[in-house]
Amino acid sequence: MTVKKILAIAVASLCVVSYAQADVTLYGIAQKSLDYGNAVSGTGEANKFSLQDIGSRVGFKGTDKLDNGSNLLWKIESDVGGNFGTREAWIGVETKDAGTLRFGRSKGAYDLLVEAFDLFESNTTLASTFKDATYRTRHESAAYYTTPTWGGFSASVNAVIDNRADIAGSQKGYDATANYTHSKFAIYGGVNSLKNQARTSETGGISLKGDGKMTSYLLGAKVFPIEGLQIGALYQNTKQDMLAGGEFKRDSAIVMAQYEIGKWVPRVGYVYQGEGKVGGTKVVAKANHFEIGTDYYLTKSSLLYVEGAVIQNKDQNTFSTSISDGLTKTPKVISAGMIILF
């Protein structure tokens, strides 16, 4: 189906008058944790306790059924204590045959794919070291389209058209993902191509190009050999324009496993970051991130968790949480917390 036809259906759906009352849902998540961090920095040792709020948020979402069978959708989601709509603020239209098209503020398909592989609950998550922090994960203005599911296959594409007052914060480009899901396995692919990154900083002492381009590719898979067990791996190749010397290039990977045993959900994960190179010369050392933990479900909507992480060469990577700030070399973090969904 062509983009023109999809847009035509979306516009036609918006023009159809429906007199049914819209369905509005209040939802959210409350999450608190007690963390302990330990690391050796030079000849000294740093220890730190921290009580944290990790991603607590509240939102409103709604569905309004139209007479032609389509649905109008909307969502407004905010951080607790933050401005209204800080996380998501979009409207869209959903049709059975043409898929879903929405406009506004949200995360891109690429980042959502990575988060689907990251099963950990605390700030010390696998995605913290895997994802590149030189681009914004939430786009101010974007058009996001998701296809219907055809025989297990589906795809999403996100066109980013940010226009922010701070030029360095604006982004233009796209990200897209595709996946095929079977009862015993799933295959994933993705691409992220953005220009004019939000962060102008340095990697390995070399400055990023302010109006440069960053491109990443993903390829991954999960297997479900027995009920309750999933094992997955995700590979990423990233390249980014530098102010001098050419492109910064790096390979990385996630490997994880999880097994549901009644109310318990133990899991283990590992992230490998290869050497970052510019023009074939190493500028950032390789890194490793190992994590283990478990959830325990109190009810269907509340759980306790405990997780432990060891991050090697953290001081040369983007990984950072309030508990690990100031802890260099090989920080070790233990996090215990509670999550309540409503």
Side-chain angles (χ1 to χ4, degrees):
M1 180 173 292
T2 65
V3 174
K4 288 184 178 180
K5 187 172 181 180
I6 293 169
L7 289 174
I9 294 174
V11 172
S13 298
L14 291 172
C15 295
V16 175
V17 177
S18 175
Y19 297 97
Q21 186 175 3
D23 178 24
V24 180
T25 302
L26 170 66
Y27 71 96
I29 176 173
Q31 180 173 358
K32 290 286 186 179
S33 72
L34 177 63
D35 294 354
Y36 171 78
N38 167 272
V40 175
S41 178
T43 58
E45 184 173 345
N47 301 277
K48 185 178 179 182
F49 280 99
S50 176
L51 180 63
Q52 299 189 69
D53 183 287
I54 305 177
S56 294
R57 52 194 179 270
V58 64
F60 299 88
K61 57 185 178 180
T63 302
D64 197 1
K65 296 184 181 298
L66 302 178
D67 291 340
N68 65 353
S70 302
N71 294 315
L72 293 180
L73 309 174
W74 61 272
K75 179 187 284 190
I76 299 176
E77 184 177 291
S78 310
D79 293 313
V80 174
N83 294 328
F84 197 58
T86 50
R87 296 178 61 90
E88 294 193 55
W90 52 261
I91 59 173
V93 59
E94 176 188 55
T95 63
K96 181 179 179 181
D97 297 326
T100 302
L101 180 65
R102 69 180 194 232
F103 303 91
R105 177 183 175 86
S106 67
K107 283 193 173 184
Y110 190 94
D111 288 284
L112 292 175
L113 175 60
V114 174
E115 290 182 359
F117 268 77
D118 187 357
L119 303 173
F120 289 86
E121 313 286 6
S122 68
N123 263 346
T124 54
T125 56
L126 301 180
S128 299
T129 45
F130 185 80
K131 292 196 295 187
D132 192 300
T134 58
Y135 65 94
R136 308 180 73 91
T137 57
R138 288 186 177 85
H139 308 300
E140 299 293 330
S141 303
Y144 191 115
Y145 170 69
T146 300
T147 70
T149 299
W150 299 303
F153 173 83
S154 65
S156 298
V157 60
N158 187 50
V160 181
I161 48 176
D162 286 350
N163 289 294
R164 293 167 55 95
D166 55 323
I167 296 178
S170 294
Q171 291 184 135
K172 292 179 175 61
Y174 70 94
D175 58 272
T177 61
N179 65 275
Y180 175 76
T181 303
H182 185 268
S183 60
K184 292 296 183 181
F185 67 90
I187 301 173
Y188 307 86
V191 59
N192 186 25
S193 181
L194 293 171
K195 189 175 182 180
N196 213 12
Q197 275 66 250
R199 194 184 74 172
T200 54
S201 62
E202 295 185 348
T203 296
I206 301 176
S207 297
L208 305 175
K209 190 176 180 182
D211 61 345
K213 185 177 181 181
M214 190 214 68
T215 305
S216 296
Y217 300 94
L218 285 176
L219 185 62
K222 285 183 181 180
V223 293
F224 315 102
I226 60 175
E227 184 177 356
L229 175 63
Q230 59 172 293
I231 303 169
L234 191 66
Y235 165 77
Q236 176 179 251
N237 174 265
T238 300
K239 57 183 180 180
Q240 188 165 7
D241 292 339
M242 309 302 288
L243 194 59
E247 290 181 327
F248 174 81
K249 298 180 179 180
R250 196 174 204 186
D251 295 321
S252 51
I254 286 179
V255 180
M256 66 85 198
Q258 171 180 286
Y259 185 42
E260 300 179 22
I261 312 171
K263 293 185 176 182
W264 293 92
V265 188
R267 57 178 62 99
V268 62
Y270 173 73
V271 172
Y272 171 78
Q273 285 271 27
E275 293 180 345
K277 296 181 178 181
V278 176
T281 302
K282 184 186 78 171
V283 296
V284 177
K286 61 185 177 182
N288 299 278
H289 176 172
F290 176 77
E291 188 146 1
I292 188 170
T294 186
D295 291 349
Y296 177 77
Y297 278 85
L298 301 171
T299 67
K300 290 183 178 180
S301 58
S302 62
L303 62 90
L304 299 173
Y305 71 84
V306 60
E307 296 172 358
V310 177
I311 303 97
Q312 184 180 16
N313 287 335
K314 172 260 170 185
D315 52 325
Q316 299 192 59
N317 291 271
T318 60
F319 176 83
S320 178
T321 72
S322 59
I323 190 63
S324 71
D325 286 346
L327 305 182
T328 59
K329 304 301 180 184
T330 307
K332 305 173 185 66
V333 181
I334 298 175
S335 178
M338 173 181 281
I339 297 175
I340 300 174
L341 303 173
F342 63 89

